[in-house]
Structures are given as structure tokens and as C-alpha cells.
Amino acid sequence: MDNIADEPIGLFDSGIGGLTVAREILRNLPHEQIVYFGDTARVPYGSKTRETVVRYAEQIMRFLLTQNIKAIVIACNTASAYAIDDISAQAGRPVIGVVEPGAVMAAQATENKRVGIMATAATIESRSYDKAIARIDPAVQTFGQACPILVPLVEEGWIDDPVTIEVLKRYLHPLLEKDVDTIVLGCTHYPLLRKVIRRLVGDKIHLINPAYETAQALKKLLEEKKLLREKPAEEGARYPYRFFVSDNAERFADFAQSILPVDVRTATKIPIEHY
């Protein structure tokens, strides 16, 4: 491609959760092409150490760079919390994570200055949302709730299952007791549970979806860098969406097809450890 703006955006996540970010990008930046990598063999990241997550993220970055991408979206809260500085320093491309955009909206949305963070254990331990929100508005109090069981439940497809509902009640209870008026869905899997969470917390709680906020922040970043694709691909051009995984390609493709607003033709399994 002669014009770098016509090159695709690279996204990666520990599994299927980052598809919620891809979905928002496809809805809000409809002319963009994407290359998505889901690390389905090594999900979840939320229970891994910082060193392991950074190593995984660097392998994925090296793979994405072979795909001639123009920007990288770390569509995973844990990887955003642990690896964004390393990836930004090495990629040679604009890099955006999901934590900062979600934190900005949470700080703006809260009225009583009490924000709950639902996330993986690693994201809670990193305090990435707490620090980001404090930079925006030091008056906001944050309350973290690690939710380690939610990612496996979502990966299993148990979205509106009685087991998932009971688990959510247990995770939400401590946050509601803290009188939060805003809850950040601080893992990209969690927006898939948004309707169930809304039912449990009622209409008065602001639910922040960092996936949507990341798509908006990405659009702004690409505009600033003059990298926003202005028009759709020409007829007969290469199919604009490519999906790669480290395992379970067929299952991933089926799930992606069910939630994305585009046709997911296939997903390709690659040996990510070789990168």
C-alpha cells in the first residue's frame, strides 16, 4: 500500500474479550481494516505475572508488525496495565491501550466521586485504573474488585447463566456497599456481561465500557497522526479483516461471527511463541 493510512490497525487480547474493542472500532471507524490476534492458548492473562504478560505482549507485537499495521490497540486491560510502556517503546507505531480511555470517562461520569473497578486480579493489583483516574481527578475515590472467575465464564459462553449471575452478585456486592455511582468494566470480556450487570445494579449506576471509549480515543489519535482511513477499500481489494489465534481457531471464528458486525470468514492459528 502506498498510503500508510490505508494499512490496517493491529489489535490483540488474551482471547475473545478484545473482540468487544474490535466491534466498537468497526462500528465507529467503518473504513478501517483490522488485524486481530487472540492469545486463546494462554488465556487468561489476569492471573499471570507482569513479566509473563510483557513477554506475551512483545511476541504478539512482533507478529503484528509482520502484518504491515499502522497502529496497535492493546485490547486487553491486563496487557494495557502491564505492557503498554514496553510496547510503545518498541513498536515504532502509535499504541493505545484500554485503561486510559476508560479512566477518563469514569472520572467524567461519577457524580459522588466514588468509582468501582471490576477487573482481573492483575489489573486490580497494578492499580492502573486508580492511578489513571487520580491523574484526571484526585478527588475521586476508587474501589477495586478482582473478578477472576468471569473471564472463564465468558469464554465458556455462559453469559446469562445462573452460575454467572450468582458470581456477579458476589463481585458486585462489595462495590455497591461502598456506594459507588460508577463501575468500570475493566476487562474487555466484561462488556459481554453488560446487560446482566445492568439488570443487577439498576439504572442509577453508570457502567463504563472502555471498549467504546478506546474506539473514540483511537479515532482521535489517528486523526491527529493523519492516519485515519477516509474511504472504504476499493471493490476487489483484499478482504479487510484478518483474525489470528494461538489455539481453537474454529471456535474463535464462530464466536467472533456472533458478535462482530462483519463477516468473519476464518481465523488462522499461528505459533506465537516463535515470534
Side-chain angles (χ1 to χ4, degrees):
M1 291 182 183
D2 296 327
N3 183 0
I4 191 171
D6 291 337
E7 294 176 353
I9 297 162
L11 296 88
F12 75 90
D13 179 53
S14 62
I16 63 174
L19 290 170
T20 61
V21 181
R23 178 171 62 184
E24 297 299 341
I25 291 172
L26 292 169
R27 285 173 174 170
N28 293 280
L29 290 79
H31 299 329
E32 296 295 344
Q33 303 185 61
I34 65 168
V35 176
Y36 182 99
F37 179 81
D39 200 358
T40 46
R42 304 187 292 197
V43 66
Y45 281 8
S47 56
K48 307 284 194 300
T49 64
R50 173 187 291 271
E51 292 74 20
T52 296
V53 172
V54 169
R55 177 164 56 86
Y56 290 175
E58 289 175 339
Q59 289 173 341
I60 297 165
M61 174 202 70
R62 288 191 286 271
F63 164 70
L64 289 175
L65 291 177
T66 69
Q67 302 297 304
N68 298 317
I69 55 168
K70 64 181 177 183
I72 293 178
V73 178
I74 305 179
C76 170
N77 283 268
T78 302
S80 293
Y82 280 167
I84 192 166
D85 290 341
D86 298 83
I87 299 304
S88 297
Q90 298 175 51
R93 309 280 192 285
V95 176
I96 188 170
V98 290
V99 171
E100 193 72 27
V104 169
M105 183 51 62
Q108 291 175 358
T110 182
E111 296 162 40
N112 70 357
K113 306 292 186 182
R114 300 174 74 82
V115 174
I117 315 293
M118 297 177 68
T120 65
T123 299
I124 295 299
E125 185 180 332
S126 74
R127 305 197 77 241
S128 55
Y129 274 103
D130 309 70
K131 295 170 187 173
I133 291 172
R135 286 195 297 270
I136 300 158
D137 186 347
V140 175
Q141 288 183 273
T142 52
F143 305 92
Q145 175 62 52
C147 307
I149 302 176
L150 292 184
V151 168
L153 290 173
V154 171
E155 293 271 338
E156 195 62 37
W158 293 12
I159 303 298
D160 202 352
D161 186 272
V163 172
T164 306
I165 292 168
E166 187 58 38
V167 169
L168 279 169
K169 286 179 181 177
R170 294 194 182 198
Y171 287 150
L172 287 164
H173 181 70
L175 296 179
L176 298 177
E177 279 205 322
K178 297 291 187 182
D179 193 32
V180 301
D181 73 347
T182 301
I183 295 176
V184 178
L185 306 182
C187 170
T188 50
H189 286 70
Y190 299 175
L192 296 169
L193 298 167
R194 190 177 186 279
K195 289 183 180 178
V196 182
I197 294 171
R198 169 61 69 206
R199 211 161 63 224
L200 293 173
V201 302
D203 295 331
K204 294 182 179 179
I205 303 288
H206 301 286
L207 296 182
I208 305 302
N209 177 4
Y212 173 79
E213 305 306 333
T214 299
Q216 298 301 315
L218 175 64
K219 183 176 183 180
K220 183 178 179 182
L221 176 64
L222 293 178
E223 287 173 339
E224 289 172 354
K225 300 288 186 181
K226 294 182 168 49
L227 291 174
L228 189 68
R229 189 181 174 98
E230 300 289 352
K231 56 185 179 180
E234 294 178 6
E235 192 172 342
R238 179 178 182 176
Y239 185 68
Y241 314 115
R242 284 173 272 158
F243 300 92
F244 299 89
V245 294
S246 49
D247 200 12
N248 291 323
E250 188 173 336
R251 182 182 176 197
F252 173 91
D254 288 344
F255 187 85
Q257 180 69 43
S258 73
I259 72 164
L260 293 183
V262 299
D263 181 29
V264 179
R265 297 181 178 179
T266 186
T268 304
K269 179 181 175 182
I270 62 165
I272 193 63
E273 297 88 352
H274 295 176
Y275 289 87

